[in-house]
Every structure is written in C-alpha cells, then in structure tokens.
Amino acid sequence: MKYAYLGPAGTFTEAALLQMPGADTAERVPAASVLSALAMVEDDDADVAVVPIENSVEGGVTATLDAVSVGHNLHITAETLVPITFVLASAAPMPLDRVRSIATHSHGWAQVRKWAEASVPRVEFVPASSTAAAAHGLTRDPAIADAAVCAPLVAEQLGLHVIAREIEDVPGAVTRFVMAAKPGPVPAMTGADKTTVMIPLPEDHPGGLMEILEHFATNGVNICRIESRPTGFGMGDYFFSMDLEGHIAEARIADALAGIHRISPKIRFLGSYPRADGKPQYVGPEVSETAFSAAQRWIESLRR
Ligand SMILES: O=C(O)C(=O)C[C@]1(C(=O)O)C=C[C@@H](O)C=C1
C-alpha cells in the first residue's frame, strides 16, 4: 500500500501517518501540498492520503476541508491525533536576537505568533509548504530565512541548531489528521465512531439551517464539529462541513441524513470511521436500534 502525505520527511503529517492503521508495512510517498497528496489518490499514484484537517488552536485546515468536501471524490477512513510542540532552529548557531526572518507553515506560524511577537518583534514570516520543508530549506539555501519553526525531531535529524524549544503559544495543542481514500467499503462500526458530511446550505429557504439541525436533534445525533465554508461557486454560496458522533450503519444517523437529503439533496457523505480518542457515542433509549426497529415494525403492521 502506498500512503501519500504532506512532506517532506519530518512533517507532523508523517508522524500522524506512522500512527495510522497499516503504516508499518506501507510505502510512504511525500507530496508537496495537501492538494497534491489528495490528487495522488485520485490519479491512482497512491492508495490513501494522510492530511491535516483540524488544529485545536488554529481550527480547520481549510485546504483539506474544501478539497474533501467540494473538489475531490474521497472518503475519510481513519483519523489520528498528534500533540504539537515546536522548536526554532537554524543551520548554524545563532542567538535569538539576530534572527530576522523565520520560515514555517502558516498553521505553525499561527501557533507561535504570540511567542514571536514577544521574543523576536518585527521578525519576517516566510511561508513554507510545511514545517519540515522550512527546516530542509535552511540546509539548502541560507538566503530563504535565518531560522525555521519545525518539529524537534526534524531539527535533530537535519543536525540543525535549536535556538528555542517549546515555543508554542498554547501548551498541549493537538492536530487531527485523517486518512482519505477513494470511496469503498465503509470501516466497520466500533461504537466510538465519527461520520463526516458536507451539507450545502439550501438556497432561498428561510430556516434551512434550523431544519437541518432539527434532524440531528430529534435523532439524538451529537455534532462535534461544524464549520461554514464558501463553495467557491458564487458570493453567498456556502456549505457546512460537520463531524457527527456515530456511524452510518446506525438507524439514527441514517434517519437524520435521509431527512436532510430532502432539504439539501446535494448533501455528501464523506465517511464513517473509528474516532481517535475512542470515546463511545451516547445513544439515548428513544434513538436506539431497538427503538427504531420497533417503530418500523409498528408502521409495517399498520400498512398490512
Ligand atoms: O507542516 C507540517 O509539519 C504539517 O504536517 C502541517 C501542519 C498543519 O497543516 O496544521 C500540521 C501540524 C501543525 O499544526 C502545523 C502544520
């Protein structure tokens, strides 16, 4: 199996890949961006892509959310969480007050911004395609930046000089990564699952969002992430990207999604998969499988 990931070697995404099912035997293929990792799967150059989707400090990784929701026809089959800690590293030893420019990924920069303002005021931020790409850049071309914000491991692997450690603004930050594959068999239900969906906001439909949410409420479905994103097709054209607690094999999830399909027929199912924290979903007695099949049997008896 070939696993494409946001590279080069030493990204947090590679650390996430190593935690994913089947990673021990997989061939790792670095990609230059989230979009090219996903495109490799669509073009059959890789079996799955491992990409960041959400950070506990900076929020959704919009490139991933938009690509899986609108651009690509891929399903999420697994997720994992990686604790994030950053170092500031340079190619040659350098005191902090001599650093004038810092290269890193925009999500990495967003997580050390307060530290940078306090410790290296007026420093120039040089965007890089990943934290590891920023670190590799220092070893290739000293003109790119004086230092890089990256993972401690990649600094060590490249023999960089560590100027400062644990520079993240929020200790304990976590990034969530997902594995995306071409639509195929849905991973089996575990009882601690998530379902990701993309729901276009119905046009000219007052109360549309409330009606969508009512389907989740009446079916006892907890929403654990909701984000509104522009579709890119026109001003005011939005979709909701949501993670739900539960699996498509459950009647309460299927019933909620079927109800929403009637209001927003372009709803897209983006996968049901085991949740990384293993937290079992709460299922109230009125939305249990038993309650749904009893209700179904009752209706059938009336029709007979
Ligand atoms: O640049 C990397 O190392 C990545 O894996 C990307 C990424 C992200 O997109 O959020 C992953 C984790 C950190 O939050 C910072 C950057």
Side-chain angles (χ1 to χ4, degrees):
M1 291 278 278
K2 273 193 186 172
Y3 286 21
Y5 70 99
L6 171 65
T11 54
F12 288 100
T13 312
E14 189 184 33
L17 185 161
L18 294 171
Q19 300 178 16
M20 288 289 189
D24 40 350
T25 53
E27 180 189 343
R28 303 202 287 276
V29 192
S33 67
V34 163
L35 291 188
S36 49
L38 297 171
M40 282 168 85
V41 180
E42 284 218 311
D43 298 343
D44 290 323
D45 291 331
D47 300 293
V48 301
V50 178
V51 288
I53 195 162
E54 183 183 5
N55 175 262
S56 62
V57 177
E58 192 41 21
V61 179
T62 50
T64 306
L65 285 175
D66 296 351
V68 292
S69 304
V70 181
H72 294 261
N73 185 22
L74 298 174
H75 281 179
I76 298 172
T77 55
E79 69 166 15
T80 194
L81 302 170
V82 174
I84 303 294
T85 181
F86 295 108
V87 297
L88 182 72
S90 56
M94 171 182 285
L96 186 56
D97 58 11
R98 289 266 316 282
V99 175
R100 298 276 176 270
S101 55
I102 298 179
T104 196
H105 187 272
S106 56
H107 256 74
W109 188 243
Q111 293 175 71
V112 301
R113 201 177 277 135
K114 288 200 196 97
W115 171 85
E117 268 164 27
S119 317
V120 265
R122 291 187 300 280
V123 75
E124 184 198 350
F125 160 52
V126 181
S129 56
S130 68
T131 55
H136 284 268
L138 296 182
T139 62
R140 270 198 315 271
D141 181 0
I144 295 177
D146 292 334
V149 167
C150 59
L153 188 62
V154 73
E156 192 190 312
Q157 284 167 350
L158 296 176
L160 298 178
H161 170 73
V162 173
I163 307 173
R165 284 182 192 280
E166 293 178 11
I167 59 171
E168 56 277 8
D169 295 332
V170 182
V174 172
T175 296
R176 176 178 164 234
F177 296 82
V178 293
M179 182 184 266
K182 280 192 172 171
V186 179
M189 183 175 136
T190 64
D193 307 282
K194 270 189 200 170
T195 292
T196 300
V197 288
M198 173 291 218
I199 307 174
L201 187 59
E203 259 177 67
D204 302 327
H205 188 119
L209 175 59
M210 201 182 75
E211 285 178 39
I212 289 170
L213 297 180
E214 267 172 354
H215 281 284
F216 292 126
T218 52
N219 283 290
V221 176
N222 195 35
I223 300 168
C224 48
R225 182 184 59 82
I226 173 166
E227 260 154 301
S228 117
R229 293 286 307 152
T231 59
F233 298 133
M235 189 57 90
D237 202 2
Y238 276 78
F239 69 86
F240 288 98
S241 167
M242 290 190 203
D243 290 341
L244 315 169
E245 288 186 1
H247 194 282
I248 189 70
E250 289 175 78
R252 62 195 185 97
I253 297 278
D255 212 64
L257 297 185
I260 293 168
H261 190 273
R262 286 185 269 115
I263 315 168
S264 187
K266 293 207 173 110
I267 179 175
R268 283 190 60 205
F269 168 76
L270 298 176
S272 288
Y273 46 92
R275 51 188 295 166
D277 60 10
K279 185 178 148 233
Q281 53 247 19
Y282 169 75
V283 182
E286 71 290 351
V287 287
S288 66
E289 294 298 300
T290 323
F292 268 99
S293 32
Q296 186 65 33
R297 280 197 305 277
W298 175 63
I299 292 290
E300 277 160 15
S301 74
L302 300 181
R303 287 176 176 162
R304 276 199 298 272

